[in-house]
C-alpha cells in the first residue's frame, strides 16, 4: 500500500507542478511567437539556399572540367581539331545575327 501523504506534501507537489507548467507554457510561448517562427523559417531557407548553391557549384565545376578536358590535351595545350570548328561555328552565328540585324534596319 502507498503511504498517506500529508497536506504539506500535497501542497509541495502542487507548487512544483505549477512551476513545471509555467516553464512549459513559457517554452510554448517562445516556440509559437512570430519572431521565433520567422527566425526558424529564415534559417531553414538559408540552409536550403546554401545547400542548393553548393550543389550548383559542384555541378558547374564538373561541367567546366569536362568541357576543358574535351578542348585541351592533358598537358594543357588546346586541341585545335576541336577548338577551330567551335570557333568557326561561333563566328558564323555572330555573322548571321549581324546580317539579320542589318536586314531588319533597312
Amino acid at each position: 500500500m502507498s503511504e498517506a501523504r500529508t497536506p504539506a506534501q500535497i501542497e509541495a507537489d502542487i507548487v512544483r507542478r505549477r512551476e513545471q507548467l509555467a516553464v512549459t507554457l513559457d517554452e510554448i510561448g517562445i516556440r509559437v511567437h512570430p519572431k521565433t517562427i520567422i527566425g526558424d523559417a529564415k534559417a531553414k531557407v538559408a540552409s536550403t539556399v546554401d545547400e542548393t548553391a553548393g550543389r550548383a557549384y559542384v555541378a558547374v565545376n564538373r561541367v567546366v572540367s569536362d568541357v576543358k578536358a574535351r578542348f585541351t590535351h592533358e598537358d594543357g595545350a588546346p586541341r585545335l581539331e576541336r577548338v577551330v570548328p567551335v570557333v568557326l561555328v561561333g563566328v558564323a552565328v555572330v555573322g548571321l545575327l549581324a546580317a539579320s540585324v542589318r536586314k531588319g534596319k533597312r
Side-chain angles (χ1 to χ4, degrees), residues 1 11 22 33 37-38 44 50 54 60 72 89 93 99 101:
M1 290 189 163
E11 246 181 77
H33 192 277
I37 293 171
I38 290 170
K44 187 173 183 178
D50 287 346
V60 168
T72 60
V89 168
V93 168
V101 168

Side-chain angles (χ1 to χ4, degrees), residues 14-106:
I14 291 171
V15 168
R16 183 176 46 81
R17 292 208 185 249
R18 278 187 186 153
E19 289 172 355
Q20 288 174 343
L21 283 173
V23 168
T24 301
L25 288 173
D26 287 345
E27 289 174 358
I28 291 171
I30 291 170
R31 287 182 188 171
V32 298
H33 192 277
K35 285 185 179 180
T36 304
I37 293 171
I38 290 170
D40 291 347
K42 284 181 180 179
K44 187 173 183 178
V45 167
S47 173
T48 302
V49 167
D50 287 346
E51 186 177 319
T52 303
R55 284 189 199 147
Y57 175 79
V58 169
V60 168
N61 196 25
R62 186 178 305 127
V63 168
V64 168
S65 294
D66 289 347
V67 169
K68 183 179 176 185
R70 291 176 190 256
F71 289 98
T72 60
H73 292 287
E74 291 177 10
D75 64 355
R79 292 181 180 209
L80 294 180
E81 70 277 6
R82 292 188 180 171
V83 173
V84 171
V86 171
V87 169
L88 291 176
V89 168
V91 169
V93 168
V94 169
L96 289 173
L97 288 173
S100 69
V101 168
R102 285 184 194 162
K103 187 176 183 181
K105 288 184 177 181
R106 289 183 190 182

